């Protein structure tokens, strides 16, 4: 009978202490939930006094982590017993390994079960750790039963409790925060690097990617609890939580814009239309979610749909041989894998952090590096394409130069042929004009021989010399190759000899010709000299002897013609203006656009100035 009693007492003892967490002086860390009991309060009106009387409602838990997803309508109570099996009083830390739970209440029997509050929206001034913690003291050989109530009406409810000794916890915490600091530092450096590239290249893809990185940094600061630990006070945290939809949407939206620009999705019209629809729908949905309470219900679905579509369009671009897609496809894979794991963790299906504590951070850094490499490769490809385009342009220019050279040579040959024909025709024309003028001169001479009136014969001689002046020019143009300019010396020499032969005198003519004249100016100049020389022959030398000096020179584009004789001169006041002088004045002023001056005090000096290009 006594053995039965012993067995019965052992069963009671084992039942009573089966969920006890035994700790010793050298215990560094333990998971609490596997030895805890759980009660879900859907009424949300139970106090600690009510809970202590409801031990029979608690159920044994065998999980290391409890994930309830988005659960704003109930409270979760955790009950666990810690037994100090050492001979010393032990100071331990209980860590609630989730910084995003909204409200956490801890009840310590040593403090008469007074509420100790912590959580995402609890204003704790002396907070120095990322996760909520509670200090407990357990005396030697003593057992304490603790209660914890958790609820979260904004974020997902994930409960993970660990017991630490103080040294181990703070070593872990320092290491954890250093690793996170390195992560955020790396992300910030990548963001600044791509921002500078944007300033230099003006490629909008880099700006979208910088916005994505900044949005990712802000989101992750919130997600792991750094923001509410170091940067935000209670009021700011309330405001930021209210803008959760915007904080999540910014990096996702920037990612969509980056994909659209980087992959140039306009090359894929159907996919591009769907992507544009998403890019229009997301801002509208953000406004809707901010104005209602529906965001937390649908945000994961909308986000995952958009990210999956970005993955699909990247795969399609890779299939279409878009080389840029090869680089970022792996980046998408890393990003979506980590995003899926975050989603599974947030809904309580699989806690990746238990096995790979920094997988999310590592994934983000790897993905950011891959995208940065892809962007750098984009510059390389653009430079190579530019060089190839330059080479094609050079080759095209060479081909075009050859083609144009052939075309120019052909056209030049045609023009030369046409020019030769025109020169030939022009020479023939000058020859015919010269012959016609000579015919006219011959007719005038024949007619003059039959006339007895000396005055009329003199008029006909003057006309004859004027025609000869033009005839000699056409004869000269017929002989020379270049008809643009005239050899004035040869022209005037023939002209003056013709005039000199018309009069029985011993007058010497001296030529000082230092320039050529344009063809049109040569005609006017020849007529002017013909008139002035004829006047000198007729009126300047009564004794039939004397000198005539003709000078033609150019200085600073101004042509100067001087016709001078050493004859008797004439009185300008009593002189009658002859037709010859009228003709000279008309030709000098109206045709040559020049000025004429006559000095008759000592012989007659006629000076005419005009601009070569007038």
């Amino acid at each position: 009978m006594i053995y039965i009693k012993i067995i019965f007492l052992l069963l009671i003892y084992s039942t009573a202490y089966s969920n006890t967490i035994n700790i010793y002086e050298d215990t560094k860390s333990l998971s609490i939930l596997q030895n805890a009991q759980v009660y879900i309060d859907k009424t949300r009106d139970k106090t600690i006094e009510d809970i202590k009387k409801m031990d029979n409602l608690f159920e044994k838990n065998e999980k290391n982590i409890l994930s309830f997803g988005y659960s704003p309508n109930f409270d979760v109570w955790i009950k666990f017993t810690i037994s100090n099996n050492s001979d010393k009083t032990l100071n331990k830390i209980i860590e609630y390994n989730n910084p995003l739970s909204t409200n956490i209440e801890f009840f310590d029997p040593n403090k008469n079960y007074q509420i100790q509050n912590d959580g995402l929206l609890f204003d704790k001034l002396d907070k120095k750790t990322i996760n909520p913690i509670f200090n407990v003291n357990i005396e030697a050989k003593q057992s304490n039963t603790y209660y914890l109530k958790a609820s979260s009406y904004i974020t997902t409810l994930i409960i993970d409790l660990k017991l630490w000794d103080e040294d181990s916890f703070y070593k872990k915490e320092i290491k954890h925060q250093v690793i996170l600091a390195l992560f955020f530092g790396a992300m910030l450096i990548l963001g600044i690097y791509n921002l500078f590239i944007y300033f230099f290249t003006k490629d909008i893809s880099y700006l979208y990617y910088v916005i994505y990185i900044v949005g990712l940094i802000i989101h992750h600061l919130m997600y792991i609890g750094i923001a509410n630990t170091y940067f935000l006070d209670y009021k700011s945290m309330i405001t930021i939580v209210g803008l959760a939809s915007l904080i999540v949407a910014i990096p996702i939206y920037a990612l969509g814009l980056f994909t659209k620009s980087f992959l140039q999705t306009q090359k894929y019209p159907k996919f591009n239309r769907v992507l544009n629809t998403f890019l229009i729908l997301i801002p509208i949905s953000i406004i809707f979610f901010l104005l209602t309470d529906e965001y937390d219900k649908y945000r994961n679905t909308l986000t995952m749909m958009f990210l999956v579509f970005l993955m699909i369009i990247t795969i399609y671009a890779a299939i279409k041989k878009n080389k840029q897609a090869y680089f970022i496809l792996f980046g998408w894979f890393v990003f979506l894998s980590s995003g899926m794991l975050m989603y599974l963790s947030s809904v309580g299906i699989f806690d990746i952090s238990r096995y790979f504590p920094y997988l999310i951070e590592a994934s983000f850094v790897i993905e950011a590096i891959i995208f940065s490499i892809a962007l750098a490769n984009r510059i390389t490809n653009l430079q190579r394409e530019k060089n190839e385009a330059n080479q094609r342009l050079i080759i095209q220019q060479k081909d075009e130069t050859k083609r144009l050279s052939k075309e120019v040579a052909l056209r030049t040959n045609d023009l030369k042929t046409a020019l030769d024909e025109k020169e030939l025709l022009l020479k023939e024309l000058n020859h015919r004009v010269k012959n016609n003028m000579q015919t006219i001169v011959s007719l005038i001479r024949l007619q003059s021989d039959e006339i007895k009136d000396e005055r009329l014969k003199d008029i006909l001689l003057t006309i004859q010399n004027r025609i000869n002046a033009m005839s000699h020019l056409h004869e000269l143009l017929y002989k020379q190759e270049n008809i643009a300019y005239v050899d004035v010396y040869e022209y005037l020499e023939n002209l003056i000899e013709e005039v000199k032969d018309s009069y029985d005198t011993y007058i010497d003519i001296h030529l000082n010709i230092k320039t050529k004249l344009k063809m049109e100016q040569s005609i006017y100049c020849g007529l002017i000299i013909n008139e002035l020389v004829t006047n000198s022959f007729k009126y300047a030398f009564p004794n039939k002897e004397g000198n005539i000096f003709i000078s033609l020179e150019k200085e600073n584009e101004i042509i100067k013609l001087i016709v001078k004789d050493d004859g008797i001169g004439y009185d300008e006041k009593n002189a009658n203006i002859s037709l010859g002088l009228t003709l000279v004045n008309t030709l000098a002023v109206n045709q040559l656009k020049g000025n004429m001056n006559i000095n008759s005090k000592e012989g007659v000096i006629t000076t005419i100035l005009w601009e070569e290009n007038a």
Side-chain angles (χ1 to χ4, degrees), residues 485-496:
Y485 286 86
V486 174
D487 185 348
V488 181
Y489 186 88
E490 182 179 358
Y491 170 49
L492 293 181
E493 189 177 37
N494 294 332
L495 174 75
I496 291 170

Side-chain angles (χ1 to χ4, degrees), residues 377-433:
N377 180 259
R378 177 185 178 91
I379 296 178
T380 302
N381 289 339
L382 290 175
Q383 185 62 43
R384 185 178 66 252
E385 291 174 1
K386 178 182 178 182
N387 293 336
E388 291 175 354
N390 288 336
Q391 288 296 113
R392 290 194 297 270
L393 180 61
I394 291 172
I395 294 173
Q396 184 178 358
Q397 287 177 338
K398 290 181 178 179
D399 294 340
E400 186 67 13
T401 301
K402 291 180 181 178
R403 187 190 69 80
L404 290 175
S405 297
K406 292 180 180 179
E407 185 72 18
V408 169
L410 181 62
R411 294 289 181 89
T412 302
N413 186 58
D414 292 341
L415 290 173
K416 188 175 183 304
T417 301
L419 183 61
D420 290 342
E421 292 176 354
K422 289 181 179 180
E423 287 182 354
L424 182 62
L425 291 173
L426 190 56
K427 285 184 177 182
E428 182 63 23
L429 176 62
N430 286 320
H431 182 60
R432 290 179 180 272
V433 170

